Amino acid sequence: YEPLREEAQTIVGGSGARDEDLFVETRRERERFRARRYPELPIELFNWGGPRAPELELEPDLPDHCRELLAALLDQAPNVAVKETRLHHKLAAVAEIDPEATVVHLVRDPRAVSASMLLGRQRRTDVYPDPQSFFTARTGRPLWSSRRISEEVIARRSFDLPADIPDFLRPLLVWKAVVETTAGEGPRLFGDRYLLIRLEDLRADPGAELARIYERSGRALPDSIVDWAAANIRGDATVHLGDDPRWARASRLIGLEPELERAGYAE
């Protein structure tokens, strides 16, 4: 579970889906690895990306200590799944670490991503009390590192944007950069072992989407996994202000259409 994340405890990544810190065992493994291989490095340097240094997520490579950590984790068993949010620009490095890996790229409606980052579990209606404020507020909040990453995206690419963009646009810029790079590099590097899955499809039919994942991995899908997914994966969710035309305007403003098409959100 997110071996390149920060040390702090976060209950299921902040989603609130469960009431436990899924990072506990990974934290122990990471500390054992650091003590054995890189005792001189502060543990904080294993957080390669947000929140320590979000701009690192846009870099294509990984330093040796992060590469070796991932390799050590992958060597622990015949089949190892690594869930990570900071590798979207680093698939070439992943391919060097494990050329036979299967990459499952989970995407979500970018409107839902933006709303989730702005509102959070606490539903920050104090900051965004109505549609007008949601689409115009400029707060300076970190927004799960998307503020810093979006600043880097703007600096590295040719966007004709005002200096101070509204909060809701920042996660959309990050989503664009992630999908453009990951969905572009994934098939080239991993062939049919790269698989893009929409969260909405996983929610609607967990068994079918899990079957796709297991099939690409060359493994049979156990009935117990299908049963667990059906019982635990949340059903469809409404997108906050999903019908507001300002989403479409924002999409055109930042040229999001190719990525929406590629990820299956053209509508």
Side-chain angles (χ1 to χ4, degrees), residues 43-225:
I43 194 66
E44 290 77 14
L45 291 184
F46 284 87
N47 173 206
W48 203 255
R52 181 181 67 86
E55 63 277 5
L56 293 175
E57 297 185 22
L58 297 176
E59 297 297 332
D61 206 357
L62 281 169
D64 288 344
H65 67 281
C66 292
R67 284 174 173 258
E68 291 183 33
L69 170 63
L70 292 176
L73 294 174
L74 291 171
D75 282 343
Q76 287 191 339
N79 294 300
V80 176
V82 175
K83 182 266 185 183
E84 184 55 81
T85 64
R86 298 165 181 84
L87 295 175
H88 41 79
H89 277 62
K90 299 171 174 58
L91 291 192
V94 173
E96 292 174 359
I97 295 167
D98 186 358
E100 301 304 315
T102 298
V103 173
V104 179
H105 178 193
L106 184 65
V107 297
R108 185 185 186 188
D109 186 320
R111 299 170 301 174
V113 172
S114 179
S116 176
M117 289 187 173
L118 267 62
L119 298 175
R121 276 193 294 162
Q122 306 303 319
R123 305 303 290 177
R124 295 299 303 272
T125 53
D126 57 328
V127 182
Y128 313 100
D130 51 50
Q132 179 64 13
S133 61
F134 181 87
F135 288 106
T136 61
R138 295 161 170 81
T139 65
R141 296 172 63 209
L143 301 173
W144 294 88
S145 297
S146 66
R147 180 180 181 84
R148 183 72 189 104
I149 298 174
S150 66
E151 289 172 347
E152 284 292 319
V153 169
I154 293 170
R156 297 179 187 207
R157 306 185 182 205
S158 299
F159 285 106
D160 185 17
L161 295 172
D164 187 19
I165 62 174
D167 289 359
F168 91 98
L169 199 57
R170 294 190 178 278
L172 299 184
L173 284 163
V174 178
W175 192 95
K176 174 182 172 64
V178 168
V179 171
E180 178 184 51
T181 302
T182 309
E185 290 287 278
R188 181 182 70 80
L189 292 165
F190 295 93
D192 62 4
R193 286 178 289 106
Y194 165 82
L195 182 61
L196 187 146
I197 297 281
R198 299 196 323 168
L199 177 61
E200 295 79 14
D201 296 333
L202 185 63
R203 284 172 162 171
D205 192 344
E209 296 306 302
L210 287 169
R212 292 177 62 206
I213 295 172
Y214 273 74
E215 189 272 331
R216 294 290 179 93
S217 304
R219 303 173 64 197
L221 173 60
D223 291 339
S224 59
I225 297 296

